Amino acid sequence: KLWFLTGILFTVLACDNETPEAVPTIDLAAESITYELVSQDSKFTGTVSVKGVIKNVGGKFQSGQGQQYAALYQKPHGGQLKLLAKVDFQTLEVGESLQVSATAAWNVTTEFQPDFMLRIEYDPDILIDGNKHNDDRNPANNSLTKSGYGINDLFE
């Protein structure tokens, strides 16, 4: 009977050598910030639209509610970041993009124009939540900053 039980144990252990699931290469990227003139009140003032695009350049992104969002900020020179808009999301297919946008009053004569920043914001515990499908492998491309001076060219 001992040899029979040993054989069963060996068979069970031999069947338990499945290949572990490959770790997905998750990579969301802050891809672009663009400006568009919405309305012009005078030669120097008006309303502009600022649009930021994030794109999934890695594997399929799947996460929980409230664990991440795309944020668009205005960054005055020497001042605090001001959140203009944010978009919550839970999934982003490979190659899929997500847009976050806001409008802002603009005055070309302002001496120090602000920058605009697009960032992918993650919950601080996202890397330890046990979900490998939301662990961004390349944090270097999660933020993009663009000078607001380019908006002045829209008023010519």
Side-chain angles (χ1 to χ4, degrees):
K1 289 184 178 182
L2 183 59
W3 65 268
F4 178 73
L5 292 175
T6 305
I8 291 174
L9 181 60
F10 178 75
T11 303
V12 169
L13 291 175
C15 292
D16 196 28
N17 64 353
E18 295 180 21
T19 306
E21 180 184 348
V23 177
T25 304
I26 303 301
D27 188 10
L28 303 185
E31 186 174 61
S32 65
I33 297 173
T34 58
Y35 307 128
E36 183 180 327
L37 185 61
V38 175
S39 64
Q40 191 165 350
D41 304 323
S42 72
K43 185 176 178 182
F44 303 108
T45 62
T47 303
V48 295
S49 172
V50 181
K51 296 178 185 173
V53 174
I54 66 166
K55 184 174 183 178
N56 184 347
V57 296
K60 182 177 180 176
F61 181 88
Q62 294 175 295
S63 192
Q65 185 175 3
Q67 287 189 284
Q68 61 286 309
Y69 58 90
L72 186 61
Y73 296 95
Q74 188 175 49
K75 183 180 178 186
H77 292 276
Q80 295 286 330
L81 285 178
K82 176 185 174 187
L83 179 65
L84 297 177
K86 74 177 194 173
V87 174
D88 294 306
F89 63 97
Q90 287 182 255
T91 61
L92 211 54
E93 298 289 336
V94 176
E96 188 177 10
S97 295
L98 180 110
Q99 180 177 293
V100 57
S101 62
T103 56
W106 199 257
N107 187 333
V108 174
T109 63
T110 300
E111 184 177 2
F112 298 108
Q113 298 291 12
D115 291 336
F116 291 90
M117 179 185 287
L118 173 65
R119 279 198 327 213
I120 303 162
E121 303 279 7
Y122 292 105
D123 181 281
D125 295 331
I126 201 161
L127 294 175
I128 59 171
D129 70 352
N131 178 4
K132 301 228 180 285
H133 295 277
N134 67 5
D135 294 346
D136 194 327
R137 299 269 183 208
N138 183 14
N141 63 2
N142 289 349
S143 181
L144 177 66
T145 302
K146 186 173 180 178
S147 170
Y149 285 104
I151 294 174
N152 291 350
D153 297 338
L154 299 175
F155 286 83
E156 290 183 17

